[in-house]
Amino acid sequence: MKIGLISLGCSKNLVDSENILGFLINKRGFELVEDLETADIVVVNTCAFIGDAKEESIEAILEAAEYKTNGNLKKLVVAGCLSERYRDELINEIPEIDAVIGTGDIEKICEIVDSILDGNKEVVVGSQDFLPNCNTERIITTYPHTAYLKISEGCDKRCTYCIIPSLRGDLRSRTIEDIVAEAEKLAKSGVKELNLLAQESTEYGLDNYKEKALAKLLKELAKVEGIEWIRTYYMYPNSITDELIEVMRDEPKICKYFDVPIQHISDEILQKMARAKSGDYIRSILGRIRSAIPDAVIRTTVIVGFPGETEEQFEELKDFIEEFKFDYVGVFKYSREEDTVAYNLPNQVPEEIKEKRWAELTNLQADIAERKNEQFIGQEVEVMIDGISSESEYMLEGRTRGQALEIDGKVLTNDGTAKPGDIVRVKIEQNFQYDFIGPIIEEEE
């Protein structure tokens, strides 16, 4: 039986999708197909973090549902955060859906599929205990030489704009030993790059170790033979310790890449968000990173149009982005989500103002990135080759240690040979905002 998959949202959701595929392929012998028209079963793993993500998820479900009429599709399964949040609406309003599965119930996918193939409809939602381990079935869908590695699930923070804790549950950390065991399995399969995922990675270990244990975990992962690069995502600013900064500075395998979502810099907005202690605290922690690791790559995300955000507060954020000069900034327009504290806050910002502020920051950061990246022209940089370029079949593309998979820029190579997974030296000749181009420097024998 053939299965098709649509995985939406964040890379954490992608790992869930890979687990779903692992269960169905390894335990039921299903065949994964790219052409959804040929699939007997399609699983849509959804996102519901913000309004745009919900719309994208609904559109994907409706498009998949059409294959029941225009393709070979027999059963449609909807999983993920949208299922967790809107189970009744989905099953009642889209009759083509045969099963709705919540975020904590994906390990039941085989039994659920068996049931719907027998003609039943299934709604299995509400459990928030699932946490993958090193033996959990999984089919890697990224390049063979790179993989995401989820170190924890859920979140104990209660940011006032965020629905995730109600969809994913409280923090549940895996043990260091279990994570290392999975890393060893991945390395034996050819993976060279690990991308560590959590809702707030710097909170890792607080539940089962009673301390922030990310630094200890990184030290152990750095010992895994075959792993060359280790990158960490989603670092909660309040929980970045000096020990963590030192480990990231001193361990050669760990990419000096800090993904630190600050969300804002105004004290008042931060307090309303229930985020960092203050703007000065954010300045302090980012300053400590830059001081300890001058060449660190620092990515952040910010939210514009949060309830009550004044023009002065937006200008404060804009000034800070210009002043600090992040390497990457993801700009999000505030999305008003039911069942969050911020939903009921007064002074909701009009959509047209959010759009204007989003455009201003996005354009500002593009200019900053282009200016910053000019410094790399003429330099040789270490690049992990991902494969044939999407820009041209005559070029290869890859990434530096400072370019995360799928969300940052890339390096195009217009001369030289390499295989996917090779780590080579590239001399940068041109930059295009976030991307670079140049030849591979062949090593002298």
Side-chain angles (χ1 to χ4, degrees):
M1 186 162 282
K2 297 177 179 178
I3 182 168
L5 172 73
I6 301 173
S7 188
L8 304 171
C10 65
S11 45
K12 297 183 289 294
N13 212 39
L14 180 63
V15 174
D16 291 345
S17 296
E18 293 177 339
N19 290 143
I20 288 172
L21 290 179
F23 290 129
L24 291 175
I25 292 172
N26 295 337
K27 290 192 171 184
R28 288 294 187 273
F30 285 12
E31 175 191 354
L32 178 63
V33 294
E34 292 187 13
D35 184 357
L36 297 184
E37 286 190 18
T38 67
D40 299 295
I41 298 174
V42 168
V43 178
V44 183
N45 196 17
T46 60
C47 178
F49 181 51
I50 57 176
D52 289 346
K54 288 187 287 187
E55 289 180 17
E56 182 185 20
S57 293
I58 292 295
E59 288 174 6
I61 293 167
L62 294 175
E63 288 176 11
E66 291 181 4
Y67 291 118
K68 282 197 168 182
T69 303
N70 304 323
N72 189 51
L73 186 63
K74 298 175 178 64
K75 300 295 177 182
L76 176 59
V77 178
V78 178
C81 291
L82 197 73
S83 296
E84 192 73 38
R85 193 171 180 188
Y86 299 111
R87 52 187 155 186
D88 295 331
E89 291 89 338
L90 287 170
I91 205 74
N92 292 331
E93 296 179 17
I94 306 178
E96 292 88 351
I97 296 175
D98 297 285
V100 173
I101 307 174
T103 58
D105 295 286
I106 60 175
E107 61 184 337
K108 302 169 187 171
I109 183 70
C110 291
E111 293 76 13
I112 291 168
V113 167
D114 289 343
S115 178
I116 63 176
L117 287 173
D118 285 338
N120 302 309
K121 287 222 172 191
E122 293 283 351
V123 178
V124 184
V125 175
S127 171
Q128 293 183 335
D129 298 325
F130 176 68
L131 181 66
N133 59 52
C134 65
N135 295 315
T136 302
E137 300 289 355
R138 185 179 176 193
I139 300 293
I140 301 298
T141 60
T142 50
Y143 301 114
H145 53 273
T146 186
Y148 293 110
L149 181 53
K150 189 181 289 189
I151 63 175
S152 68
E153 182 59 274
C155 182
D156 286 344
K157 299 299 178 187
R158 294 298 182 265
C159 302
T160 61
Y161 54 84
C162 185
I163 195 69
I164 294 300
S166 66
L167 303 179
R168 295 276 178 175
D170 293 333
L171 175 67
R172 306 182 301 284
S173 300
R174 297 170 59 181
T175 66
I176 290 175
E177 293 78 12
D178 183 62
I179 296 168
V180 169
E182 183 172 5
E184 290 172 342
K185 288 174 67 173
L186 290 168
K188 286 177 182 176
S189 74
V191 168
K192 295 182 178 181
E193 177 188 40
L194 295 178
N195 299 280
L196 307 188
L197 301 176
Q199 196 61 40
E200 304 280 11
S201 63
T202 41
E203 300 281 287
Y204 167 77
L206 278 173
D207 52 334
N208 52 12
Y209 293 116
K210 310 307 176 191
E211 65 174 352
K212 298 165 188 171
L214 180 60
K216 291 183 173 61
L217 171 63
L218 288 172
K219 288 180 182 178
E220 294 304 312
L221 287 173
K223 298 175 185 176
V224 177
E225 189 174 343
I227 297 300
E228 302 291 340
W229 291 4
I230 303 169
R231 183 180 289 100
T232 303
Y233 296 75
Y234 313 118
M235 298 179 174
Y236 187 60
N238 293 8
S239 298
I240 295 175
T241 63
D242 288 337
E243 180 190 15
L244 176 62
I245 295 172
E246 290 167 6
V247 169
M248 294 184 68
R249 179 192 64 197
D250 297 339
E251 287 287 353
K253 289 185 179 182
I254 299 172
C255 299
K256 296 173 178 60
Y257 181 95
F258 289 79
D259 178 17
V260 187
I262 64 170
Q263 309 305 7
H264 217 280
I265 199 67
S266 158
D267 289 352
E268 184 178 353
I269 296 295
L270 289 169
Q271 289 163 13
K272 287 181 179 179
M273 289 179 168
R275 282 295 293 182
K277 300 170 184 177
S278 67
D280 283 345
Y281 185 85
I282 289 173
R283 291 181 176 91
S284 172
I285 192 67
L286 293 176
R288 279 155 53 196
I289 294 170
R290 278 263 172 90
S291 176
I293 314 174
D295 61 343
V297 171
I298 304 179
R299 159 179 273 281
T300 195
T301 58
V302 297
I303 296 173
V304 296
F306 190 80
E309 183 190 51
T310 64
E311 192 63 31
E312 291 76 18
Q313 289 164 338
F314 169 70
E315 288 296 327
E316 183 181 1
L317 176 61
K318 186 177 173 182
D319 289 346
F320 179 66
I321 288 175
E322 176 65 75
E323 168 201 338
F324 188 77
K325 293 180 174 53
F326 291 93
D327 296 276
Y328 303 100
V329 178
V331 184
F332 291 89
K333 292 170 282 189
Y334 168 71
S335 178
R336 191 180 185 191
E337 299 298 321
E338 312 105 357
D339 304 319
T340 62
V341 173
Y343 183 84
N344 295 313
L345 288 178
N347 302 315
Q348 297 284 331
V349 176
E351 288 300 320
E352 59 269 22
I353 294 179
K354 293 182 195 176
E355 185 70 30
K356 175 179 175 292
R357 292 175 181 176
W358 175 86
E360 282 190 42
L361 285 193
T362 300
N363 292 334
L364 171 62
Q365 179 56 30
D367 290 341
I368 291 170
E370 186 158 22
R371 294 198 306 268
K372 283 194 72 172
N373 287 338
E374 287 175 355
Q375 67 182 308
F376 289 100
I377 294 175
Q379 292 189 24
E380 291 184 18
V381 296
E382 186 182 56
V383 173
M384 182 176 287
I385 298 298
D386 288 329
I388 300 295
S389 170
S390 56
E391 308 279 335
S392 167
E393 62 179 311
Y394 301 107
M395 291 193 290
L396 298 172
E397 71 179 38
R399 293 166 292 110
T400 68
R401 286 173 173 261
Q403 293 174 315
L405 184 66
E406 297 180 329
I407 60 172
D408 297 332
K410 56 184 178 290
V411 178
L412 303 173
T413 66
N414 54 9
D415 188 20
T417 59
K419 303 186 300 297
D422 284 351
I423 297 175
V424 299
R425 305 290 297 179
V426 173
K427 185 174 183 179
I428 303 301
E429 293 182 340
Q430 287 180 279
N431 76 296
F432 308 93
Q433 286 187 356
Y434 299 105
D435 297 341
F436 301 100
I437 187 169
I440 293 174
I441 305 301
E442 304 291 346
E443 294 185 8
E444 296 182 5
E445 295 184 2

